[in-house]
């Protein structure tokens, strides 16, 4: 298994500030847009995603089996959320059991545009003890599909004198009709004619955040070529000042219904 501490070049006792500082330095050094290795950058991203999250870091440092008891339910008043109320273990498995307020697992689905910009959400859920609770949730820009956010101390609070449980929010990002996502990069297919591929052209595209770009297609561009436009991909969740790439995959359209006259013209000019 990859040693995330070695990847970031920090000790196992490193503070969150030291981890963030190391990540920013390495991300700037190895970012693919700056000539770095994509594989190395992905390793750095994975290490930071784990070590910057207190819950994930604790699980990484102390891997052990977890025992969960769950019951399902649909919280009223918020259609996007589907709650599974997970009962946490009670104390030491082999020792005396102490009651603990349970954590709550919830899910929501957002669009790729919302993942790009981030989203502030207000949701009503019903706690296992029957009490309604309103949540104000900030989903960060650049969030990846399947990411789970920990909302500390706002879960079940039925047992007095015991810290409240946490809420774990899993975010699912819907597929987009135009853009495909690969990490922090966005991929878009661009169709051009075979004449444009041979002679070159300029295409105008609209980015996910509704910016207009004019992209030059060089003469002799081959089918399947990929053009990279830096800084127009997804924001990086760990450091939103950085963005991935927009990758334009060139699809060359070959006509199938040429007339005899058109065929003769092509043969005359290219033979």
């Amino acid at each position: 298994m990859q040693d995330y501490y070695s990847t970031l070049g920090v000790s196992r006792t490193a503070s969150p500030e030291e981890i963030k500082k190391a990540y920013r330095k390495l991300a700037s050094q190895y970012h693919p847009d700056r000539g770095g290795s994509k594989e190395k950058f992905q390793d750095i991203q994975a290490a930071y995603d784990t070590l910057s999250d207190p819950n994930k870091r604790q699980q990484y440092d102390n891997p052990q089996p977890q025992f969960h008891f769950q019951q399902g339910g649909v919280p009223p008043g918020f259609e996007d959320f589907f709650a599974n109320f997970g009962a946490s273990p009670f104390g030491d498995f082999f020792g005396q059991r102490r009651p603990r307020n349970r954590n709550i697992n919830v899910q929501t689905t957002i669009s790729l545009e919302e993942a790009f910009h981030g989203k502030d959400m207000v949701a009503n859920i019903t706690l296992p003890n029957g009490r309604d609770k309103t949540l104000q949730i900030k989903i960060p820009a650049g969030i990846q599909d399947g990411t789970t956010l920990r909302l500390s101390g706002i879960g079940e609070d039925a047992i007095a004198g015991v810290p409240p449980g946490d809420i774990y929010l899993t975010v699912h990002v819907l597929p987009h009709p135009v853009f495909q996502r690969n990490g922090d990069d966005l991929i878009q297919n661009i169709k051009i004619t075979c004449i444009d591929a041979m002679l070159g052209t300029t295409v105008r595209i609209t980015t996910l955040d509704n910016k207009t770009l004019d992209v030059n297609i060089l003469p002799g561009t081959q089918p399947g070529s990929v053009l990279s436009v830096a800084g127009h991909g997804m924001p990086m969740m760990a450091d939103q000042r950085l963005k991935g790439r927009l990758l334009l995959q060139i699809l060359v359209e070959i006509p199938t219904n040429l007339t005899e006259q058109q065929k003769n013209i092509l043969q005359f000019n290219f033979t």
Side-chain angles (χ1 to χ4, degrees):
M1 184 175 66
Q2 179 185 351
D3 185 344
Y4 289 153
Y5 292 97
S6 296
T7 299
L8 294 183
V10 298
S11 69
R12 289 187 170 271
T13 59
S15 66
E17 290 74 22
E18 291 173 326
I19 291 172
K20 181 181 291 187
K21 183 178 179 181
Y23 165 77
R24 287 181 174 176
K25 180 179 178 180
L26 292 172
S28 176
Q29 180 180 354
Y30 289 100
H31 195 282
D33 289 345
R34 301 178 183 179
S37 165
K38 183 176 181 179
E39 291 73 20
K40 177 69 174 178
F41 182 78
Q42 289 175 339
D43 289 343
I44 293 168
Q45 185 72 47
Y48 182 76
D49 287 345
T50 296
L51 299 184
S52 63
D53 184 293
N55 187 56
K56 291 182 181 179
R57 183 177 181 182
Q58 183 180 14
Q59 293 178 0
Y60 177 78
D61 290 341
N62 303 285
Q64 57 184 340
Q66 301 291 321
F67 302 88
H68 295 282
F69 305 88
Q70 295 187 341
Q71 64 182 36
V74 180
F78 195 69
E79 297 83 358
D80 288 342
F81 279 77
F82 298 90
N84 295 312
F85 302 113
S88 299
F90 290 94
D92 187 347
F93 185 71
F94 295 103
Q96 182 180 2
R97 293 186 175 183
R98 294 176 298 174
R100 297 171 62 182
N101 282 308
R102 292 180 291 179
N103 297 328
I104 300 174
N105 302 318
V106 297
Q107 302 181 44
T108 192
T109 300
I110 63 175
S111 66
L112 187 60
E113 287 86 353
E114 291 170 332
F116 182 95
H117 295 288
K119 185 176 182 180
D120 293 328
M121 306 179 72
V122 177
N124 296 320
I125 68 169
T126 301
L127 298 178
N129 61 9
R131 185 168 66 86
D132 291 334
K133 188 163 191 173
T134 299
L135 305 179
Q136 293 185 340
I137 303 167
K138 185 175 183 63
I139 296 179
I143 194 165
Q144 300 272 358
D145 177 54
T147 298
T148 297
L149 304 176
R150 180 188 181 191
L151 312 176
S152 301
I154 58 174
E156 185 185 41
D157 56 1
I159 304 175
V162 176
D166 301 328
I167 288 181
Y168 290 91
L169 171 64
T170 300
V171 180
H172 300 287
V173 182
L174 291 170
H176 195 275
V178 175
F179 298 96
Q180 297 178 347
R181 184 174 183 177
N182 182 17
D184 294 314
D185 294 336
L186 292 173
I187 303 171
Q188 181 179 3
N189 291 332
I190 302 296
K191 294 182 179 180
I192 61 173
T193 67
C194 57
I195 301 299
D196 287 337
M198 290 186 287
L199 301 181
T201 187
T202 298
V203 295
R204 176 162 293 181
I205 62 172
T206 301
T207 64
L208 184 61
D209 55 340
N210 288 321
K211 293 180 180 177
T212 300
L213 300 178
D214 289 328
V215 179
N216 292 324
I217 308 294
L218 297 178
T221 294
Q222 298 299 306
S225 299
V226 177
L227 306 181
S228 176
V229 184
H232 288 281
M234 294 293 292
M236 298 183 184
M237 197 170 91
D239 188 345
Q240 296 174 13
R241 296 173 300 176
L242 301 175
K243 288 186 174 67
R245 302 168 297 173
L246 175 59
L247 303 177
L248 303 177
Q249 183 167 313
I250 304 301
L251 305 180
V252 179
E253 295 183 309
I254 307 297
T256 58
N257 56 349
L258 292 177
T259 65
E260 289 300 321
Q261 181 181 8
Q262 290 171 328
K263 292 178 182 178
N264 292 331
I265 292 174
L266 288 173
Q267 289 175 346
F268 177 80
N269 285 280
F270 291 100
T271 58

